Amino acid sequence: MTAPAMKQANSAAKTKQRVSNEQRRQVLDLRRRHSLREVAEITALPLGTVKTLVSRSGAFRDNEQHHALFTLPPISASTETLPSVPELPPQEVVTGDKEVDAVLWLRSIISTGQVALIERAMEGTKKIRTPLDVLEKRYRDYLVATNPGHPFAAMSSFGFADLDALATRAIERHRLRLEGDARFGDALLADTEAESFCIAALRGLEPTGHLGDFDKGQVAARFNAQPELLPHTLTDCLYELGYWDQLYRLRHAVDRDARGDSAGLVRVRPAGADPAPRQGRGAGGVPLPGRQPARRHGRVRGNSLQPDRVISPINYPRATAHNQRQRRQRYT
C-alpha cells in the first residue's frame, strides 16, 4: 500500500472512531435546522462524514409509509348510469319581477355544473334586454325591502350578474363531485384511514386555547409516539397538506351541492313567512355569505423541516381531524 493510501485509510479510521453516538444524534438534530456545511462547522466534523451520517440514517428520505397513509383512493370507473339529457330545474316566481326571476332561474341552471345546460343558459341570457347589473340592483332592492334590518340581505345579491364566474365555479364543483364519487363512492364523508389515525392519536385531549385549539406540545407528543408515520422531509409535509386540501375540496363540493349554491342565490325569507332557518344559514339551510366552513390546513414555515416533531404544516390539519365527524354533522 502506498503512503498516500495508508494515510487516507488511517484518517478514515480515526474519523470513524471519533464519531460517537452522541455526535450522531447531534448531527441529525442540527441537520433539521442547518445545511450540511453548517452542521460540519458546528460539530467540527468533516463534511463527508456529516453527509455519510445523514445519508445512512434514512431520516431525511421521503417516508413511503407516510405517503401511503396520506394518499387518496384511486379513481375507479363509475357504474352509475347518468341521464343522457340533464333535467332542467323548475322555474319559480321568487320576486315577481319577470326579468329578475328569469336570471335566478338561469343561475339555478348554471349551478348544476352540467356543461350542456350551462351553454343553453348562457344563450338564454342574450334574450334578456335589461343589463344584468341593473337587474342585480333590482334584486338587491327586493331583498333589502323584504328583509328590513337583515345584515346579509344585500350581500346575498353580490355577484348576481356575474354568470361567467358562476359557471366556472359550478363546472369545477361538478368535476370535484364526480371525482369524489369515483374515489370514495358512498364513503366520501366517512372517516378515512388518515383521519382514524389522527382521531386515535388525539383521543382524550381537551381543548385549551381560546378558539378550541389543542396544546401544540401535547399534540406533538401524541404523534411522536408513532414515528413510523411522521413526515421525514419537506416533500412529505407538502404531500400531506395536499391530501388534506384535496379531501376538503372533494367533500365541500358535495356538501355545497346538497345545500344549493350560496354565491348570490341566497333567498332570505321575510320574517314570519317560514320557520326560522338555522343560525348562520339562509332559507332552506343555505349558508349565508361569510359562514362557509373554514379550510383546515396550516402553512409551510421556515422551520417546518423537523421530522422528529409534528410542527406547523402538519399540526393543524391533524389536530382538527379528530372532530371531522362532528363538524360534518353540523354542515349536513
Side-chain angles (χ1 to χ4, degrees):
M1 180 180 295
T2 63
M6 292 180 62
K7 184 176 180 180
Q8 185 176 1
N10 291 335
S11 177
K14 290 178 182 178
T15 300
K16 190 173 182 179
Q17 290 176 357
R18 66 170 178 261
V19 177
S20 64
N21 291 334
E22 180 61 29
Q23 286 178 308
R24 293 174 190 272
R25 285 192 293 269
Q26 183 186 18
V27 166
L28 297 180
D29 182 64
L30 290 172
R31 180 63 185 94
R32 295 179 177 97
R33 300 183 297 277
H34 300 278
S35 67
L36 290 169
R37 190 172 298 278
E38 289 173 337
V39 173
E41 293 175 355
I42 294 172
T43 59
L45 291 174
L47 179 59
T49 301
V50 171
K51 289 181 178 179
T52 300
L53 292 175
V54 170
S55 176
R56 290 181 179 178
S57 70
F60 297 91
R61 303 187 193 123
D62 292 346
N63 186 350
E64 296 301 328
Q65 193 170 348
H66 172 272
H67 275 221
L69 179 64
F70 293 98
T71 297
L72 294 173
I75 294 178
S76 58
S78 175
T79 58
E80 181 182 3
T81 302
L82 299 177
S84 56
V85 180
E87 184 178 351
L88 286 172
Q91 289 182 275
E92 298 178 351
V93 177
V94 180
T95 67
D97 184 318
K98 292 184 178 180
E99 289 185 309
V100 172
D101 288 347
V103 176
L104 284 173
W105 181 55
L106 293 175
R107 287 181 63 90
S108 67
I109 295 174
I110 294 172
S111 296
T112 64
Q114 300 282 348
V115 176
L117 294 183
I118 290 175
E119 291 176 351
R120 293 170 61 183
M122 299 305 281
E123 285 294 323
T125 60
K126 299 177 181 178
K127 300 178 181 180
I128 300 177
R129 296 182 179 181
T130 305
L132 292 179
D133 56 347
V134 175
L135 295 179
E136 178 175 328
K137 184 179 183 305
R138 278 157 53 177
Y139 182 48
R140 183 182 307 121
D141 293 342
Y142 161 80
L143 291 175
V144 172
T146 54
N147 298 275
H150 198 295
F152 296 110
M155 289 180 60
S156 62
S157 67
F158 294 170
F160 177 83
D162 195 351
L163 300 184
D164 290 331
L166 177 64
T168 300
R169 293 194 304 270
I171 291 172
E172 175 64 9
R173 189 166 65 250
H174 183 63
R175 184 193 68 79
L176 290 171
R177 187 170 66 248
L178 294 178
E179 180 182 341
D181 181 69
R183 289 187 184 278
F184 291 92
D186 296 331
L188 177 59
L189 298 181
D191 291 332
T192 64
E193 185 179 353
E195 287 176 311
S196 297
F197 158 69
C198 296
I199 292 170
L202 299 176
R203 183 173 287 117
L205 284 186
E206 295 294 336
T208 57
H210 296 295
L211 301 177
D213 296 335
F214 295 101
D215 179 77
K216 293 182 179 180
Q218 293 179 345
V219 171
R222 292 294 186 92
F223 287 121
N224 288 341
Q226 303 193 51
E228 70 281 359
L229 294 177
L230 293 183
H232 286 181
T233 65
L234 179 60
T235 300
D236 288 342
C237 293
L238 295 176
Y239 190 86
E240 182 175 338
L241 284 177
Y243 169 86
W244 293 120
D245 180 74
Q246 185 66 5
L247 182 62
Y248 165 84
R249 285 161 52 82
L250 294 176
R251 285 174 170 169
H252 190 48
V254 172
D255 183 59
R256 291 185 64 182
D257 178 70
R259 292 179 287 154
D261 180 54
S262 61
L265 277 181
V266 179
R267 285 180 251 158
V268 186
R269 292 190 176 102
D274 277 311
R278 287 181 286 177
Q279 183 179 4
R281 293 176 181 255
V286 179
L288 293 171
R291 295 303 297 263
Q292 295 297 331
R295 297 184 69 173
R296 296 293 190 178
H297 61 77
R299 295 178 295 170
V300 178
R301 299 177 182 172
N303 66 341
S304 61
L305 184 54
Q306 298 187 27
D308 66 332
R309 297 179 60 202
V310 183
I311 34 73
S312 173
I314 303 304
N315 257 357
Y316 199 54
R318 285 188 173 189
T320 55
H322 84 290
N323 65 351
Q324 286 279 347
R325 188 183 301 108
Q326 291 84 347
R327 185 163 66 251
R328 288 198 298 274
Q329 288 175 348
R330 287 202 301 272
Y331 291 129
T332 54

